[in-house]
Amino acid sequence: MIKTEALSKHYHIGDTIVKALDNVTLHIPAHSFVSIVGPSGSGKSTLMNLLGCLDTPTSGRYLLDGMEVSNMSDNQLAEIRNRKIGFVFQGFNLVPKLTALENVELPLIYSGVSKKERRSLAAEALEKVGLTDRSSHLPSELSGGQQQRVAIARALVTRPPIILADEPTGNLDSHSGRDILKLFQKLHEMGNTIVLITHDEYIAGQAQRIIRILDGQIVDDVEVG
Amino acid sequence: MIKTEALSKHYHIGDTIVKALDNVTLHIPAHSFVSIVGPSGSGKSTLMNLLGCLDTPTSGRYLLDGMEVSNMSDNQLAEIRNRKIGFVFQGFNLVPKLTALENVELPLIYSGVSKKERRSLAAEALEKVGLTDRSSHLPSELSGGQQQRVAIARALVTRPPIILADEPTGNLDSHSGRDILKLFQKLHEMGNTIVLITHDEYIAGQAQRIIRILDGQIVDDVEVG
Ligand SMILES: Nc1ncnc2c1ncn2[C@@H]1O[C@H](COP(=O)(O)OP(=O)(O)OP(=O)(O)O)[C@@H](O)[C@H]1O
Ligand SMILES: Nc1ncnc2c1ncn2[C@@H]1O[C@H](COP(=O)(O)OP(=O)(O)OP(=O)(O)O)[C@@H](O)[C@H]1O
Ligand SMILES: [Mg+2]
Ligand SMILES: [Mg+2]
């Protein structure tokens, strides 16, 4: 399902080259539950952005369901992101002018679902993250952890086959964090592929497999679950 | 140093009233190291914003160093924020167009320090959070945890007597998180007052005192250190 070959991402700042990702070769089969761990600045979000087709590599290949992503048009990439991938961003990326409910509805707009059905699915997703009574709040009227949970609900509302979650519990108390983990585990049991970046050792250990990144490279890859 | 009496903050959303903070009476003496814990949405950031003079209460009083904050003019409030309080925001609030170094310099601009001295103090603060080689990066060119560390460096650069830190390690691996904790502990030994909101049980336990918040109210307040 997810296959990278010597994937690299370099940035140029002045005369320096920052090797955010350096020759990463990785295979994540469908229906896996994988944690990605590593120090701050080690390349985890960079990897996720490439896997989520939100960014293009400097070199190397990325094959998603057997198709070479670098060969795709912008339209094809947008369609893949909408149909195949749910993304929880480290910085949430909620739309400031939309309420929590409207933010969660957004991915459904592309899927041709009726407005009534959209509202109902979005309400259900918000309920799963414990935010029913915050549906009409704007992001600025929500706590940090509530914004994070809206971002999670939005990533899950279309039940996409692949869920990429970048530090989904960083702003949550451990109780709320474990509720979110149970959500991901349930989706995994129902067949979704989950790739979860986390700094939380407990949450990382609940996956089937832990991939460790350091200075843009994979340094460890172990089956645990 | 910090004294609140029946401090409340209510929001109106449609017909509902959200009691973000509800009758909080609190005394934090100078030179304390206090953790504030509680579930997502319980009122921690709301309390911090009031203590940091970034917001005004719906009712109740806040006395900072014996002075009633609600009686102050905007100019007086701005001066207090610049001279007395260093703030690490849950959402970082870095200036997008400024480099890491320039962001950290910002609080020094008000303090009448020369440009050369500003650069040197800001560089020193960035070094303390391990980001010397990211000084010229813009926030968008930094990882989530690196942005968080720039926000921490900025809060500390003027050595303000009171440091309010809202989830300063939420995006950091445990190693980086403990480096940040040591930073705060060192400042505390040097006489600063530290108020730290955290979801991390280990970090919370390293303070002298843990205040627990639930549904906008203080439900527990224990000396631990
Ligand atoms: N502008 C606003 N309008 C309405 N409700 C608000 C507003 N700002 C915050 N709230 C509500 O007030 C409550 C407390 O928010 P606060 O940000 O203080 O929580 P918190 O304890 O910091 O949570 P977290 O751990 O998730 O950061 C939340 O339930 C939130 O939805
Ligand atoms: N646009 C950019 N230009 C230059 N360097 C960048 C850019 N974006 C990211 N970097 C650098 O690439 C490295 C990897 O960043 P990335 O965001 O992937 O780290 P991360 O593992 O997600 O870290 P964190 O745990 O702090 O979120 C970092 O050192 C960062 O400074
Ligand atoms: Mg990251
Ligand atoms: Mg908060």
Side-chain angles (χ1 to χ4, degrees):
Chain A
M1 163 153 297
I2 286 176
K3 237 184 180 204
T4 74
E5 295 173 6
L7 205 64
S8 291
K9 182 74 182 180
H10 297 170
Y11 295 106
H12 295 262
I13 299 272
D15 308 325
T16 349
I17 294 182
V18 176
K19 290 188 180 175
L21 214 62
D22 187 18
N23 263 308
V24 167
T25 295
L26 188 55
H27 176 221
I28 298 177
H31 315 306
S32 305
F33 187 161
V34 181
S35 294
I36 298 185
V37 299
S40 172
S42 55
K44 308 177 295 297
S45 297
T46 303
L47 174 61
M48 289 284 259
N49 288 334
L50 292 171
L51 296 185
C53 304
L54 292 161
D55 199 5
T56 49
T58 309
S59 61
R61 301 168 76 209
Y62 173 31
L63 293 104
L64 179 57
D65 291 340
M67 297 194 293
E68 177 119 30
V69 168
S70 42
N71 293 337
M72 295 185 188
S73 67
D74 281 350
N75 278 344
Q76 282 175 305
L77 287 173
E79 199 202 344
I80 280 194
R81 284 195 301 267
N82 286 321
R83 284 196 309 107
K84 293 198 175 202
I85 301 172
F87 214 120
V88 185
F89 294 93
Q90 187 168 9
F92 319 151
N93 292 9
L94 300 180
V95 179
K97 291 210 167 80
L98 299 182
T99 64
L101 190 70
E102 291 164 344
N103 262 286
V104 176
E105 278 186 283
L106 275 181
L108 292 164
I109 293 184
Y110 303 107
S111 56
V113 166
S114 76
K115 177 156 184 155
K116 188 152 168 287
E117 181 71 1
R118 281 205 319 260
R119 290 262 132 164
S120 153
L121 287 169
E124 190 183 342
L126 274 180
E127 191 195 359
K128 290 208 179 98
V129 296
L131 287 178
T132 302
D133 56 355
R134 291 288 182 272
S135 307
S136 50
H137 286 230
L138 296 174
S140 59
E141 296 167 339
L142 294 171
S143 78
Q146 290 168 343
Q147 293 174 33
Q148 189 159 39
R149 284 183 273 158
V150 174
I152 292 166
R154 181 181 62 182
L156 309 185
V157 73
T158 56
R159 281 284 323 277
I162 300 170
I163 292 159
L164 304 179
D166 195 345
E167 317 257 13
T169 65
N171 282 284
L172 299 178
D173 54 281
S174 53
H175 184 86
S176 311
R178 289 171 198 214
D179 287 345
I180 294 304
L181 173 65
K182 291 201 199 93
L183 248 187
F184 287 131
Q185 285 172 323
K186 212 182 226 165
L187 286 163
H188 177 237
E189 288 164 16
M190 286 160 59
N192 296 69
T193 302
I194 315 273
V195 183
L196 202 151
I197 293 177
T198 181
H199 283 309
D200 187 312
E201 297 291 340
Y202 171 79
I203 290 185
Q206 302 306 304
Q208 294 172 325
R209 175 181 171 198
I210 301 181
I211 295 171
R212 191 167 297 274
I213 295 192
L214 186 64
D215 297 329
Q217 302 184 332
I218 294 182
V219 294
D220 203 15
D221 189 342
V222 282
E223 302 279 330
V224 286
Chain B
M1 164 154 293
I2 285 176
K3 237 185 181 204
T4 75
E5 292 170 16
L7 205 64
S8 292
K9 182 74 183 181
H10 297 170
Y11 295 106
H12 295 263
I13 298 271
D15 307 324
T16 349
I17 295 182
V18 176
K19 290 189 179 173
L21 214 60
D22 187 18
N23 263 308
V24 168
T25 295
L26 189 55
H27 176 221
I28 297 177
H31 315 308
S32 305
F33 187 161
V34 182
S35 293
I36 298 183
V37 300
S40 172
S42 54
K44 308 178 294 298
S45 297
T46 302
L47 175 61
M48 290 284 260
N49 288 335
L50 292 170
L51 297 185
C53 304
L54 293 161
D55 199 4
T56 50
T58 309
S59 62
R61 301 166 78 209
Y62 173 31
L63 293 105
L64 179 59
D65 292 339
M67 297 193 293
E68 177 119 30
V69 169
S70 41
N71 293 337
M72 294 182 187
S73 67
D74 281 350
N75 279 343
Q76 283 176 304
L77 287 173
E79 200 203 342
I80 280 195
R81 284 195 301 266
N82 287 322
R83 284 196 308 107
K84 292 200 176 200
I85 301 172
F87 215 120
V88 185
F89 293 92
Q90 187 169 7
F92 319 151
N93 291 9
L94 300 180
V95 179
K97 290 209 168 81
L98 300 182
T99 64
L101 190 70
E102 291 164 344
N103 263 285
V104 176
E105 277 186 284
L106 274 181
L108 293 164
I109 293 184
Y110 302 108
S111 57
V113 167
S114 76
K115 174 153 186 160
K116 188 154 167 282
E117 181 70 0
R118 277 202 325 256
R119 292 261 130 165
S120 152
L121 286 169
E124 189 182 344
L126 273 180
E127 192 195 358
K128 289 208 179 98
V129 297
L131 286 177
T132 303
D133 56 356
R134 291 287 182 275
S135 308
S136 50
H137 286 231
L138 296 174
S140 59
E141 297 167 337
L142 294 171
S143 78
Q146 289 168 343
Q147 292 175 34
Q148 187 158 41
R149 284 183 276 158
V150 173
I152 292 166
R154 182 181 61 183
L156 310 184
V157 73
T158 56
R159 283 285 325 276
I162 300 170
I163 292 160
L164 304 178
D166 195 345
E167 317 255 13
T169 65
N171 282 284
L172 300 177
D173 54 280
S174 53
H175 184 85
S176 311
R178 288 171 199 212
D179 286 346
I180 294 304
L181 173 64
K182 291 202 199 92
L183 248 187
F184 287 131
Q185 284 172 324
K186 212 181 226 167
L187 286 162
H188 178 236
E189 285 163 19
M190 287 158 63
N192 297 71
T193 303
I194 315 273
V195 183
L196 202 151
I197 294 176
T198 182
H199 283 310
D200 187 312
E201 297 291 339
Y202 171 78
I203 289 186
Q206 300 307 304
Q208 293 172 327
R209 174 181 172 198
I210 301 183
I211 295 171
R212 192 166 297 274
I213 295 192
L214 186 64
D215 297 330
Q217 302 184 333
I218 294 181
V219 294
D220 204 14
D221 188 342
V222 282
E223 303 280 330
V224 286

